[in-house]
Amino acid sequence: EAQVTQNPRYLITVTGKKLTVTCSQNMNHEYMSWYRQDPGLGLRQIYYSMNVEVTDKGDVPEGYKVSRKEKRNFPLILESPSPNQTSLYFCASRVGGVYTGELFFGEGSRLTVL
Amino acid sequence: KQEVTQIPAALSVPEGENLVLNCSFTDSAIYNLQWFRQDPGKGLTSLLLIQSSQREQTSGRLNASLDKSSGRSTLYIAASQPGDSATYLCAVIITQGGSEKLVFGKGTKLTVNP
């Protein structure tokens, strides 16, 4: 089954404790991206990757890091989480090519930073 | 700056009714537009993708149209069912500063009453 898998789905952590949210897709997609969804603000793009070793900032990259060492994986790293990073996070992927292709989303990771 | 607006924010209809959801965007220079549905606590499910050169796409009871010149897209749902209850989001793909960017509307929450 074609899917985008995120882990963990739920996480409660404390300020400053580094964490990684993993994202993996089994569709051989070149493009992958991360979003956060907050009430009243909607979905905002954090980072995206057009292919292995190619990443770029989205609208709200501050406080986040990403890496794309393999095609299937695109982890989101919070080096020193803060309460304002409490949010619902989504990973998505699509086929490569410029601006084309249907986006497929993971189920989301709900993160709470105390 | 591209802005995507979805009106109304919420809509309640009786089962069986045909309905239209609206999405408007401020800059007609888009590459494609995608409609999604989101169920509570879940990820986004792609419904329809319309390339900038297309006028409409159909899938089952759903029909999405795109008018770039007026900055509008509509999602038509025929013979609505309680299972259609969800939040519907539209998103446009644009370029900004040489980077690809996905801009989402804040969604329309649809309730279909039995």
Side-chain angles (χ1 to χ4, degrees), chain A residues 33-91:
Chain A
S33 59
W34 277 101
Y35 304 87
R36 59 179 288 174
Q37 186 175 36
D38 302 288
L41 296 176
L43 274 148
R44 294 176 292 168
Q45 192 173 41
I46 303 171
Y47 271 96
Y48 67 95
S49 170
M50 298 296 288
N51 214 325
V52 176
E53 303 290 2
V54 180
T55 63
D56 205 350
K57 297 177 181 178
D59 287 323
V60 287
E62 296 79 17
Y64 304 95
K65 284 177 59 177
V66 293
S67 68
R68 186 89 182 275
K69 295 184 172 58
E70 308 167 276
K71 198 172 188 179
R72 65 181 293 127
N73 297 320
F74 189 43
L76 179 70
I77 303 158
L78 286 73
E79 294 271 2
S80 182
S82 62
N84 65 12
Q85 291 179 297
T86 292
S87 186
L88 179 58
Y89 291 86
F90 289 104
C91 179

Side-chain angles (χ1 to χ4, degrees), chain B residues 33-112:
Chain B
L33 185 145
Q34 193 166 356
W35 281 94
F36 300 88
R37 73 174 275 168
Q38 184 175 24
D39 295 284
K42 301 282 191 178
L44 280 69
T45 301
S46 176
L47 297 173
L48 290 164
L49 170 71
I50 309 177
Q51 304 285 357
S52 62
S53 59
Q54 298 174 322
R55 296 283 293 183
E56 66 178 303
Q57 282 284 341
T58 298
S59 176
R61 294 183 293 110
L62 305 179
N63 175 276
S65 68
L66 174 63
D67 184 344
K68 278 182 59 177
S69 60
S70 67
R72 296 176 61 126
S73 176
T74 61
L75 179 67
Y76 174 83
I77 302 177
S80 58
Q81 303 170 358
D84 294 329
S85 297
T87 296
Y88 290 79
L89 296 148
C90 69
V92 298
I93 298 275
I94 63 170
T95 57
Q96 191 170 83
S99 299
E100 172 178 320
K101 184 173 177 179
L102 191 70
V103 182
F104 281 88
K106 293 181 181 175
T108 294
K109 184 176 181 180
L110 173 66
T111 303
V112 181

Side-chain angles (χ1 to χ4, degrees), chain B residues 4-24:
Chain B
V4 178
T5 303
Q6 292 185 248
I7 295 174
L11 180 64
S12 182
V13 301
E15 181 176 3
E17 190 163 298
N18 301 325
L19 59 101
V20 174
L21 305 180
N22 297 297
C23 172
S24 62

